[in-house]
């Protein structure tokens, strides 16, 4: 696994490099946005750690440019928390952020988590193809698009057909943890409803995601 670290401050870059190299990742360093793009185009990376505040080409511009050509996971590092919604929003397209100053342990944990997610494989089940790389579902040769959360719920359930997941377990597996928990809990049922509408021939009599009364949901075996 190869990671590109883009950071102009030597001390921070050294710490990031030391901890990630110790975890077993190959590290390539860039001190500016321009250098990052040159190195990015030359080689294949599994993840990018990208400082927001760079001399010359800013982190946001680098992120936008990479997003036009790649879906590689990008973790932004920033002290400017007020811009985070924009950074991880659709327009700029980072996958996550870490707030400066951060502990190296947090950086390693986030990197591990994103690389685990990125390694998810396609599932073919009961006439559906669920492709986590492209985040799409294919049924009868038709592409069905879901939101990220809906996709993650479907993927979680379909990975273990027949296994009953409680709403809490679904939250743990499928949700963006940065959202407030009270909002999350109420929306599991709403998301399942939307998924059924998208993938079921008859959403009132689902064939894929089944309700287990008093417990939660399961994917049809
Ligand atoms: Ca900087």
């Amino acid at each position: 696994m190869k990671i590109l670290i883009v950071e102009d401050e030597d001390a921070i870059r050294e710490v990031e490099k030391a901890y990630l190299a110790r975890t077993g990742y190959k590290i390539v360093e860039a001190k500016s946005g321009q250098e990052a793009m040159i190195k990015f185009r030359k080689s294949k990376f599994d993840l990018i750690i990208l400082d927001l505040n760079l001399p010359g080409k800013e982190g946001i511009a680098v992120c936008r440019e990479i997003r036009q050509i790649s879906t590689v996971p990008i973790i932004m590092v920033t002290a400017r928390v007020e811009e985070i919604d924009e950074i991880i929003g659709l327009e700029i397209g980072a996958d996550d952020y870490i707030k400066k100053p951060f502990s190296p342990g947090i950086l390693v944990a986030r990197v591990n988590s994103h690389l685990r997610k990125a390694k998810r494989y396609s599932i073919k089940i009961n006439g559906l193809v669920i492709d986590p790389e492209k985040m799409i579902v294919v049924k009868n040769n038709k592409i069905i698009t879901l939101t990220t959360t809906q996709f993650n719920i479907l993927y979680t359930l379909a990975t273990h057909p027949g296994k009953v997941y409680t709403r809490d377990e679904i939250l743990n597996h499928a949700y963006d943890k940065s959202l407030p928990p009270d909002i999350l809990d109420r929306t599991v049922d709403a998301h399942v409803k939307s998924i059924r509408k998208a993938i079921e021939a008859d959403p009132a009599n689902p064939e894929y995601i089944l309700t287990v009364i008093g417990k939660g949901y399961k994917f049809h075996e």
Side-chain angles (χ1 to χ4, degrees), residues 176-194:
D176 178 349
K177 305 281 193 311
S178 63
L179 297 173
D182 57 322
I183 292 180
L184 296 180
D185 198 36
R186 279 182 279 122
T187 55
V188 174
D189 297 339
H191 282 308
V192 169
K193 205 171 157 191
S194 304

Side-chain angles (χ1 to χ4, degrees), residues 7-9 51-55 100:
E7 171 65 65
D8 59 311
E9 280 174 67
D51 182 32
L52 182 78
N53 207 351
L54 292 165
K100 275 183 181 173

Side-chain angles (χ1 to χ4, degrees), residues 141-154:
N141 294 320
K142 267 173 57 188
I143 293 175
I144 300 164
T145 47
L146 300 172
T147 66
T148 303
T149 302
Q150 289 163 11
F151 184 89
N152 287 341
I153 291 173
L154 178 64

